[in-house]
Amino acid sequence: MVAELKAIASDRSNIDLWHLNRPRAQALDAKASTERDPGQKISLIFQSGIEWLNAGDYQTAISRLQSILDFAKANNLKLPAEAKYAITEVLGIAHLRKAEIENCLNNHNEYSCLFPIVKDGKHEIRDGAQSAQEIFKSLLSSPQSSAQTQWLYNITHMALGTYPQGVEKDHLLSPDLFSSDVDFPRFTDVAMGTGVAVNDISGSVVMEDFDKDGYLDLMVSSYGLDDQLRLYMNDQDGSFRDATASAGLTGLYSGLNMVQADYDNDGYIDVLVLRGAWLGKDGQHPNSLLRNNGDGTFSDVTRVAGLYSKFPTQTASWADINLDGWIDLFIGNEHSASAPATCELYINDGTGKFTEQAATYGLDMQVFTKGCVWGDYDNDGDPDLYISCINSRNYLWQNGGSENNFTFKEVAQTAKVSEPLRSFPCWFFDYNQDGWEDLFVSGFDFSQFQTAAREVALGYMGQATQAELPRLYQNNKDGTFSEVSAAAGVDEVLFTMGCNFGDLNGDGYPDFYAATGTPDFRALIPNRMFLNDRGKKFLDVTTAGAFGHLQKGHGVAFGDIDNDGDQDIYSVLGGSYDGDNFMNALFANPGFDQDWMRLSLVGVECNRAAIGARLEVTLIDPATGASTTRHARVQSGGSFGANSLRVELGIDPQMEIDELKIFWPGQTDPQVIAHLEKGKHYQITQNLSEIKDVTAKAVKLNAGHGGHHH
């Protein structure tokens, strides 16, 4: 696999490949130098400027774009208004990217590129933002000006420390537009201090206890064809150790997304790395199944396990679809006219090998899949599958159960969950804690790559937008769902790529983080955090909690990194072009004075990691006798980024744990456990009465300014 990935990364025979911006820019420059027609020459130089920007050479990009305006002026050429506006806008963006590199990257701190830009996030090297500000200000009077121009102009003022007082009244986007719905404590980015500030482009993260020491580790991927997969082991002292080389991962390149499971039931969590996404016919790249050997190393067993195939993909999900005790795998490929690709379903035979049987089970779809997740929306004990597509309706596949040989029936339209028509990440979660899984699907319209900032600005201003909005589907408990995104306050312009859910404040209700953006550098929009208001609605706490990163957001994972009882968030940042790199963030939770309990489940008759197990925790108030039930499921969360498979529960301080019910996959009657204490981490084995206390001590995350890796 290492040799194959190296060959893919080193192949420069086709400069039309998405990642090869530099050779493409050089070819455009060469062609422009001999072009006689002024219009064609300008077009070639404009394309060259964009390619140089995407390659990360902002200075050459600025030179090329400025030369167009100079050339037109020197030759008395009147550029079409739309063309002049587009050239000037990208020139402004190139200057702003220069400012980001000089300030947010080269002098990175916990405030860098957080929206709205304040304190140490303000730029000390000012010429880049000043040049950008002058350009965007000049464009504000143009007939082609839009909310995007106004948005970018306000951002330059934030970067220079002159927002809001320095922004003209007619152009000001009021700070009130961005204020959080409620007060909320600030989370601090400690990625540099803990040693996990990976400085690469888009990718994903698996947050998991790979060595079973009670502390969560991080596996981090990056999309670049020669970007190294990285493993960071929790050192139990508030920092992480780079174990990439010692784990045997050197040379395993690329991967836009990952998802984990214990495929061989040996008690150690394995990882699937997904490759080739967005590349169409050029994305015939193999995925990698990395077997955790239990000794600190991983082995690529893709071919041996029967999972070797070559399709463009970035989404997959694990579940035991036939309830035989072995975890199976669905891979959602990106089908297009230039790259026909059928979705794959790999059935685990229990010997460490898989057989592709999508057609047998009715899941051999040909769609441009961008998200796929397993859940049990009908509470019948077998896993159902939701598929999110980028350019068509979405699909809900109901598992027919043992009486139908576990084949699937497509029910999205009957269940009323086929929208949005342009969507990306998705997940099942019980947002209102009624014991029935609901569904979130976020919108993503790739026809608006260049104008995403305009749509986001319009959304903040409460004006009409053309963006594809998310859908929140509430489970009606009868096989159908009700679309409640507006009532729940999540009908926002997000352009979500990575996304996941967890419990920020430990109240037992799942919150979610939308990691946003598009590949274009003009898509300078904040990631967004939504706090669940006890199942009634979601409240935006982006700015109060300091989550609003302006850099492109991708894989997200929630988990209690420091074992102090509350969940932290790891966010992979950076775009899809090689020049759109940025440091990943680790947001440390400041704490909410809530109690907690952690659970690690061990399957015996079901799959070893107990993926798909459903939990009901009954809590009781000793003072009043009032009780409530919390619901959870063993899963990795959303379709882009992977939470740990251990269950982390927040508990109100006045409540005590009455009993725990575990509905193991394939088992009708629950295992009932009493006498559990708060503040403990328990390991529970299926059908065994012995409960192990595996609580590990809390540590303090190192917030110092450590190095970053690029």
PDB file of all heavy atoms in Angstrom, residues 209 214-215 563 596-600 646-647 677 679-683 692-696:
ATOM      1  N   ASP A 209      -9.407   5.477  22.146  1.00  0.00           N
ATOM      2  CA  ASP A 209      -8.405   4.925  23.055  1.00  0.00           C
ATOM      3  C   ASP A 209      -7.785   3.706  22.379  1.00  0.00           C
ATOM      4  O   ASP A 209      -8.207   2.570  22.588  1.00  0.00           O
ATOM      5  CB  ASP A 209      -9.062   4.552  24.381  1.00  0.00           C
ATOM      6  CG  ASP A 209      -8.065   4.039  25.411  1.00  0.00           C
ATOM      7  OD1 ASP A 209      -6.858   4.012  25.109  1.00  0.00           O
ATOM      8  OD2 ASP A 209      -8.500   3.665  26.521  1.00  0.00           O
ATOM      9  N   GLY A 214      -7.207   4.021  28.940  1.00  0.00           N
ATOM     10  CA  GLY A 214      -8.192   4.892  29.560  1.00  0.00           C
ATOM     11  C   GLY A 214      -8.129   6.331  29.106  1.00  0.00           C
ATOM     12  O   GLY A 214      -8.911   7.159  29.590  1.00  0.00           O
ATOM     13  N   TYR A 215      -7.226   6.649  28.176  1.00  0.00           N
ATOM     14  CA  TYR A 215      -7.070   8.011  27.677  1.00  0.00           C
ATOM     15  C   TYR A 215      -7.267   8.028  26.158  1.00  0.00           C
ATOM     16  O   TYR A 215      -6.762   7.155  25.450  1.00  0.00           O
ATOM     17  CB  TYR A 215      -5.686   8.573  28.025  1.00  0.00           C
ATOM     18  CG  TYR A 215      -5.489   8.774  29.505  1.00  0.00           C
ATOM     19  CD1 TYR A 215      -5.071   7.720  30.320  1.00  0.00           C
ATOM     20  CD2 TYR A 215      -5.732  10.009  30.099  1.00  0.00           C
ATOM     21  CE1 TYR A 215      -4.900   7.891  31.681  1.00  0.00           C
ATOM     22  CE2 TYR A 215      -5.557  10.191  31.464  1.00  0.00           C
ATOM     23  CZ  TYR A 215      -5.144   9.129  32.256  1.00  0.00           C
ATOM     24  OH  TYR A 215      -4.974   9.305  33.606  1.00  0.00           O
ATOM     25  N   ASN A 563     -10.058  13.601  30.583  1.00  0.00           N
ATOM     26  CA  ASN A 563     -10.699  12.761  31.611  1.00  0.00           C
ATOM     27  C   ASN A 563     -11.206  13.553  32.816  1.00  0.00           C
ATOM     28  O   ASN A 563     -11.226  13.033  33.942  1.00  0.00           O
ATOM     29  CB  ASN A 563      -9.744  11.663  32.099  1.00  0.00           C
ATOM     30  CG  ASN A 563      -9.750  10.445  31.180  1.00  0.00           C
ATOM     31  OD1 ASN A 563     -10.557  10.373  30.253  1.00  0.00           O
ATOM     32  ND2 ASN A 563      -8.872   9.505  31.436  1.00  0.00           N
ATOM     33  N   TRP A 596     -20.884  13.177  35.848  1.00  0.00           N
ATOM     34  CA  TRP A 596     -20.688  12.417  34.618  1.00  0.00           C
ATOM     35  C   TRP A 596     -20.520  10.931  34.919  1.00  0.00           C
ATOM     36  O   TRP A 596     -20.302  10.526  36.058  1.00  0.00           O
ATOM     37  CB  TRP A 596     -19.453  12.926  33.869  1.00  0.00           C
ATOM     38  CG  TRP A 596     -18.201  12.933  34.709  1.00  0.00           C
ATOM     39  CD1 TRP A 596     -17.768  13.936  35.526  1.00  0.00           C
ATOM     40  CD2 TRP A 596     -17.236  11.874  34.849  1.00  0.00           C
ATOM     41  NE1 TRP A 596     -16.590  13.581  36.150  1.00  0.00           N
ATOM     42  CE2 TRP A 596     -16.235  12.323  35.756  1.00  0.00           C
ATOM     43  CE3 TRP A 596     -17.111  10.603  34.280  1.00  0.00           C
ATOM     44  CZ2 TRP A 596     -15.142  11.534  36.111  1.00  0.00           C
ATOM     45  CZ3 TRP A 596     -16.017   9.815  34.634  1.00  0.00           C
ATOM     46  CH2 TRP A 596     -15.046  10.286  35.535  1.00  0.00           C
ATOM     47  N   MET A 597     -20.602  10.142  33.836  1.00  0.00           N
ATOM     48  CA  MET A 597     -20.273   8.720  33.876  1.00  0.00           C
ATOM     49  C   MET A 597     -19.798   8.321  32.490  1.00  0.00           C
ATOM     50  O   MET A 597     -20.354   8.783  31.482  1.00  0.00           O
ATOM     51  CB  MET A 597     -21.487   7.881  34.289  1.00  0.00           C
ATOM     52  CG  MET A 597     -21.196   6.366  34.301  1.00  0.00           C
ATOM     53  SD  MET A 597     -22.584   5.383  34.946  1.00  0.00           S
ATOM     54  CE  MET A 597     -23.852   5.699  33.717  1.00  0.00           C
ATOM     55  N   ARG A 598     -18.782   7.477  32.427  1.00  0.00           N
ATOM     56  CA  ARG A 598     -18.295   6.942  31.156  1.00  0.00           C
ATOM     57  C   ARG A 598     -18.495   5.435  31.128  1.00  0.00           C
ATOM     58  O   ARG A 598     -18.341   4.765  32.156  1.00  0.00           O
ATOM     59  CB  ARG A 598     -16.813   7.270  30.952  1.00  0.00           C
ATOM     60  CG  ARG A 598     -16.551   8.713  30.569  1.00  0.00           C
ATOM     61  CD  ARG A 598     -15.112   8.903  30.122  1.00  0.00           C
ATOM     62  NE  ARG A 598     -14.165   8.738  31.209  1.00  0.00           N
ATOM     63  CZ  ARG A 598     -13.764   9.710  32.010  1.00  0.00           C
ATOM     64  NH1 ARG A 598     -14.258  10.927  31.868  1.00  0.00           N
ATOM     65  NH2 ARG A 598     -12.876   9.481  32.962  1.00  0.00           N
ATOM     66  N   LEU A 599     -18.782   4.927  29.938  1.00  0.00           N
ATOM     67  CA  LEU A 599     -19.036   3.502  29.774  1.00  0.00           C
ATOM     68  C   LEU A 599     -18.276   2.966  28.572  1.00  0.00           C
ATOM     69  O   LEU A 599     -18.357   3.535  27.476  1.00  0.00           O
ATOM     70  CB  LEU A 599     -20.531   3.237  29.587  1.00  0.00           C
ATOM     71  CG  LEU A 599     -21.460   3.686  30.724  1.00  0.00           C
ATOM     72  CD1 LEU A 599     -22.916   3.601  30.286  1.00  0.00           C
ATOM     73  CD2 LEU A 599     -21.226   2.835  31.966  1.00  0.00           C
ATOM     74  N   SER A 600     -17.547   1.895  28.763  1.00  0.00           N
ATOM     75  CA  SER A 600     -16.929   1.151  27.667  1.00  0.00           C
ATOM     76  C   SER A 600     -17.585  -0.223  27.635  1.00  0.00           C
ATOM     77  O   SER A 600     -17.495  -0.985  28.607  1.00  0.00           O
ATOM     78  CB  SER A 600     -15.422   1.014  27.872  1.00  0.00           C
ATOM     79  OG  SER A 600     -14.787   2.275  27.793  1.00  0.00           O
ATOM     80  N   ARG A 646     -16.535   4.925  23.173  1.00  0.00           N
ATOM     81  CA  ARG A 646     -16.961   4.878  24.567  1.00  0.00           C
ATOM     82  C   ARG A 646     -18.077   5.901  24.760  1.00  0.00           C
ATOM     83  O   ARG A 646     -18.119   6.950  24.103  1.00  0.00           O
ATOM     84  CB  ARG A 646     -15.797   5.126  25.521  1.00  0.00           C
ATOM     85  CG  ARG A 646     -15.313   6.558  25.643  1.00  0.00           C
ATOM     86  CD  ARG A 646     -14.084   6.629  26.544  1.00  0.00           C
ATOM     87  NE  ARG A 646     -13.730   7.992  26.905  1.00  0.00           N
ATOM     88  CZ  ARG A 646     -12.633   8.335  27.582  1.00  0.00           C
ATOM     89  NH1 ARG A 646     -11.771   7.398  27.959  1.00  0.00           N
ATOM     90  NH2 ARG A 646     -12.385   9.594  27.883  1.00  0.00           N
ATOM     91  N   VAL A 647     -19.005   5.620  25.644  1.00  0.00           N
ATOM     92  CA  VAL A 647     -20.162   6.482  25.880  1.00  0.00           C
ATOM     93  C   VAL A 647     -19.851   7.419  27.040  1.00  0.00           C
ATOM     94  O   VAL A 647     -19.468   6.969  28.127  1.00  0.00           O
ATOM     95  CB  VAL A 647     -21.424   5.648  26.187  1.00  0.00           C
ATOM     96  CG1 VAL A 647     -22.602   6.555  26.521  1.00  0.00           C
ATOM     97  CG2 VAL A 647     -21.754   4.746  24.996  1.00  0.00           C
ATOM     98  N   GLU A 677     -22.082   4.465  40.179  1.00  0.00           N
ATOM     99  CA  GLU A 677     -21.788   5.753  40.787  1.00  0.00           C
ATOM    100  C   GLU A 677     -21.412   6.785  39.725  1.00  0.00           C
ATOM    101  O   GLU A 677     -20.867   6.450  38.669  1.00  0.00           O
ATOM    102  CB  GLU A 677     -20.615   5.614  41.775  1.00  0.00           C
ATOM    103  CG  GLU A 677     -20.868   4.661  42.923  1.00  0.00           C
ATOM    104  CD  GLU A 677     -19.647   4.541  43.819  1.00  0.00           C
ATOM    105  OE1 GLU A 677     -18.837   5.493  43.842  1.00  0.00           O
ATOM    106  OE2 GLU A 677     -19.497   3.497  44.479  1.00  0.00           O
ATOM    107  N   GLY A 679     -19.148   9.941  38.303  1.00  0.00           N
ATOM    108  CA  GLY A 679     -17.714  10.198  38.347  1.00  0.00           C
ATOM    109  C   GLY A 679     -16.860   8.966  38.135  1.00  0.00           C
ATOM    110  O   GLY A 679     -15.694   8.939  38.528  1.00  0.00           O
ATOM    111  N   LYS A 680     -17.430   7.931  37.519  1.00  0.00           N
ATOM    112  CA  LYS A 680     -16.717   6.679  37.289  1.00  0.00           C
ATOM    113  C   LYS A 680     -16.728   6.313  35.803  1.00  0.00           C
ATOM    114  O   LYS A 680     -17.648   6.676  35.058  1.00  0.00           O
ATOM    115  CB  LYS A 680     -17.353   5.538  38.077  1.00  0.00           C
ATOM    116  CG  LYS A 680     -17.318   5.701  39.591  1.00  0.00           C
ATOM    117  CD  LYS A 680     -15.929   5.477  40.148  1.00  0.00           C
ATOM    118  CE  LYS A 680     -15.951   5.443  41.674  1.00  0.00           C
ATOM    119  NZ  LYS A 680     -14.574   5.230  42.211  1.00  0.00           N
ATOM    120  N   HIS A 681     -15.714   5.571  35.401  1.00  0.00           N
ATOM    121  CA  HIS A 681     -15.641   4.982  34.073  1.00  0.00           C
ATOM    122  C   HIS A 681     -15.749   3.470  34.248  1.00  0.00           C
ATOM    123  O   HIS A 681     -14.887   2.854  34.877  1.00  0.00           O
ATOM    124  CB  HIS A 681     -14.323   5.358  33.397  1.00  0.00           C
ATOM    125  CG  HIS A 681     -14.175   4.823  31.999  1.00  0.00           C
ATOM    126  ND1 HIS A 681     -13.039   5.061  31.244  1.00  0.00           N
ATOM    127  CD2 HIS A 681     -14.981   4.071  31.207  1.00  0.00           C
ATOM    128  CE1 HIS A 681     -13.168   4.477  30.063  1.00  0.00           C
ATOM    129  NE2 HIS A 681     -14.338   3.864  30.029  1.00  0.00           N
ATOM    130  N   TYR A 682     -16.831   2.895  33.723  1.00  0.00           N
ATOM    131  CA  TYR A 682     -17.081   1.465  33.893  1.00  0.00           C
ATOM    132  C   TYR A 682     -16.864   0.720  32.579  1.00  0.00           C
ATOM    133  O   TYR A 682     -17.249   1.197  31.502  1.00  0.00           O
ATOM    134  CB  TYR A 682     -18.519   1.221  34.358  1.00  0.00           C
ATOM    135  CG  TYR A 682     -18.817   1.728  35.750  1.00  0.00           C
ATOM    136  CD1 TYR A 682     -19.584   2.887  35.936  1.00  0.00           C
ATOM    137  CD2 TYR A 682     -18.360   1.056  36.878  1.00  0.00           C
ATOM    138  CE1 TYR A 682     -19.880   3.351  37.210  1.00  0.00           C
ATOM    139  CE2 TYR A 682     -18.644   1.517  38.154  1.00  0.00           C
ATOM    140  CZ  TYR A 682     -19.406   2.661  38.312  1.00  0.00           C
ATOM    141  OH  TYR A 682     -19.694   3.123  39.582  1.00  0.00           O
ATOM    142  N   GLN A 683     -16.286  -0.462  32.705  1.00  0.00           N
ATOM    143  CA  GLN A 683     -16.234  -1.399  31.590  1.00  0.00           C
ATOM    144  C   GLN A 683     -17.241  -2.500  31.857  1.00  0.00           C
ATOM    145  O   GLN A 683     -17.174  -3.185  32.880  1.00  0.00           O
ATOM    146  CB  GLN A 683     -14.836  -1.992  31.430  1.00  0.00           C
ATOM    147  CG  GLN A 683     -14.738  -3.015  30.293  1.00  0.00           C
ATOM    148  CD  GLN A 683     -13.335  -3.558  30.143  1.00  0.00           C
ATOM    149  OE1 GLN A 683     -12.413  -2.824  29.828  1.00  0.00           O
ATOM    150  NE2 GLN A 683     -13.169  -4.860  30.392  1.00  0.00           N
ATOM    151  N   LYS A 692     -16.343  -3.620  35.810  1.00  0.00           N
ATOM    152  CA  LYS A 692     -15.006  -3.145  36.138  1.00  0.00           C
ATOM    153  C   LYS A 692     -14.970  -1.621  36.219  1.00  0.00           C
ATOM    154  O   LYS A 692     -15.475  -0.936  35.332  1.00  0.00           O
ATOM    155  CB  LYS A 692     -14.000  -3.620  35.091  1.00  0.00           C
ATOM    156  CG  LYS A 692     -13.712  -5.108  35.120  1.00  0.00           C
ATOM    157  CD  LYS A 692     -12.610  -5.451  34.129  1.00  0.00           C
ATOM    158  CE  LYS A 692     -12.282  -6.953  34.162  1.00  0.00           C
ATOM    159  NZ  LYS A 692     -11.199  -7.281  33.196  1.00  0.00           N
ATOM    160  N   ASP A 693     -14.380  -1.131  37.268  1.00  0.00           N
ATOM    161  CA  ASP A 693     -14.121   0.296  37.405  1.00  0.00           C
ATOM    162  C   ASP A 693     -12.757   0.568  36.761  1.00  0.00           C
ATOM    163  O   ASP A 693     -11.717   0.140  37.263  1.00  0.00           O
ATOM    164  CB  ASP A 693     -14.102   0.693  38.883  1.00  0.00           C
ATOM    165  CG  ASP A 693     -13.872   2.186  39.093  1.00  0.00           C
ATOM    166  OD1 ASP A 693     -13.493   2.875  38.131  1.00  0.00           O
ATOM    167  OD2 ASP A 693     -14.054   2.656  40.234  1.00  0.00           O
ATOM    168  N   VAL A 694     -12.756   1.271  35.626  1.00  0.00           N
ATOM    169  CA  VAL A 694     -11.511   1.543  34.896  1.00  0.00           C
ATOM    170  C   VAL A 694     -11.237   3.049  34.862  1.00  0.00           C
ATOM    171  O   VAL A 694     -10.600   3.555  33.938  1.00  0.00           O
ATOM    172  CB  VAL A 694     -11.570   0.968  33.472  1.00  0.00           C
ATOM    173  CG1 VAL A 694     -11.605  -0.547  33.503  1.00  0.00           C
ATOM    174  CG2 VAL A 694     -12.778   1.504  32.700  1.00  0.00           C
ATOM    175  N   THR A 695     -11.718   3.751  35.873  1.00  0.00           N
ATOM    176  CA  THR A 695     -11.561   5.205  35.923  1.00  0.00           C
ATOM    177  C   THR A 695     -10.092   5.595  35.927  1.00  0.00           C
ATOM    178  O   THR A 695      -9.303   5.076  36.722  1.00  0.00           O
ATOM    179  CB  THR A 695     -12.237   5.780  37.182  1.00  0.00           C
ATOM    180  OG1 THR A 695     -13.586   5.292  37.251  1.00  0.00           O
ATOM    181  CG2 THR A 695     -12.245   7.291  37.148  1.00  0.00           C
ATOM    182  N   ALA A 696      -9.724   6.503  35.021  1.00  0.00           N
ATOM    183  CA  ALA A 696      -8.356   7.018  34.952  1.00  0.00           C
ATOM    184  C   ALA A 696      -8.353   8.456  35.441  1.00  0.00           C
ATOM    185  O   ALA A 696      -9.336   9.191  35.288  1.00  0.00           O
ATOM    186  CB  ALA A 696      -7.836   6.948  33.521  1.00  0.00           C
TER     187      ALA A 696
END
